[in-house]
Amino acid sequence: MRTKPVPETAAFGIDIGKKVFHVVALDASGAPIQRAKFSRDTLMAFFEAEPKVLIGMEACPGSQWLARRLVAMGHDARIIPARFVKPYVKSNKTDTVDAAAIAEAVTRPTMRFVEVRTPEQVDLQALHRIRDRLVGQRTALMNQARAFCLEYGLAMRVGAGGFHADIRRHLANAGNDLTPAMRVLLEELLDDLAYTEGRIKAVNASVEAYAREHEAVSRLVTIPGIGPLGATAIIAAAGDGRQFRKARDLAAWLGLVPAEHSTGGKQTLLGISKRGNCYVRRLIIHGARSCFLHLNRANHALGGWLSALEARTHRNKAVVALANKLTRIVWAILTRPGTVYLQSRGAAAR
């Protein structure tokens, strides 16, 4: 009796869960040849026994760890943004259908993938995310205290400095309308605020310590508008930048290029796409705004270009255009070890 040959597996798709993982295997023609469900431990044992193969998974919590483990086993593990998997989902949504869609998406030659980050990058990115949360909490505490004071006819100036000066003045003034109970609540809010600000200082110190020790960060901070905070955020998100073919790809990945909605041969460009990592994009735009205001344009290569841009467009658009240019410079320095940004005195930037 002739047995049917077992088709060779071309790719696997994994739908990641907390405890259960659904796996679908495709052959070279794209047809499903295996569907399975594993626990976390049995999944590792299964892929240790498998020959080296292409494996896809969606970008989600746990995907970076799993991809690193599979790469260490010798597999070609790739992480796909969830929005790029969705077009391949057929019929009703189930975990197995999702795994089949991932397996199909990972085999597409034009598919875009998320970089598999090192543990050092994950740690640094976690540090930035904690800082971002703490800054938001600091703003929320200030706004809450401002709102409470307004209920008693006490307004405060904008900004953190004005807030600290005014609220202390209001609390010290026994003649205003603040009740004893509200004074106690405001003091407790200030205690919470002091703790949050202390945590932010500690996180900033950790980021600056990393910046001093990392060679790539020390090269990035030579770029105007890029400080230790922005440089470390870029390293955490983009690594060495070699996954991008050119500088524009990094800018597009951060959402700093125009979105496009063209049809019928007519090109229509919109505002910036705002895709990708909004935290890194925000830091770069803030850095560009500082550079826009304080750069010595008479003695800097960017000066002539920036002045000409400001003359023909709105200031906010010029800031975003500068952020785009700085991002391209970041890519050039990241992908060329040992290079730093050199200011060309009096030269015209192109």
Side-chain angles (χ1 to χ4, degrees), residues 120-135 203-204 206-208 210-211 217 227-237 277 279-280 282-283:
E120 183 185 34
Q121 284 179 275
V122 174
D123 292 346
L124 186 57
Q125 192 170 59
L127 197 63
H128 275 277
R129 287 178 176 174
I130 289 172
R131 181 189 179 277
D132 193 32
R133 174 180 59 81
L134 290 171
V135 170
V203 172
N204 286 342
S206 298
V207 170
E208 290 172 1
Y210 179 90
V217 175
L229 199 63
T232 53
I234 291 169
I235 293 294
N277 194 317
Y279 175 74
V280 178
R282 184 167 72 246
L283 290 179

Side-chain angles (χ1 to χ4, degrees), residues 130-145:
I130 289 172
R131 181 189 179 277
D132 193 32
R133 174 180 59 81
L134 290 171
V135 170
Q137 288 178 347
R138 178 179 64 183
T139 303
L141 287 169
M142 289 183 182
N143 289 342
Q144 190 173 47

Side-chain angles (χ1 to χ4, degrees), residues 58 80-90 93 98 101-102 105:
E58 276 187 345
I80 311 172
R83 66 182 174 200
F84 294 156
V85 175
K86 190 174 179 61
Y88 297 94
V89 176
K90 302 172 182 65
K93 173 180 166 45
D98 286 349
I102 295 168

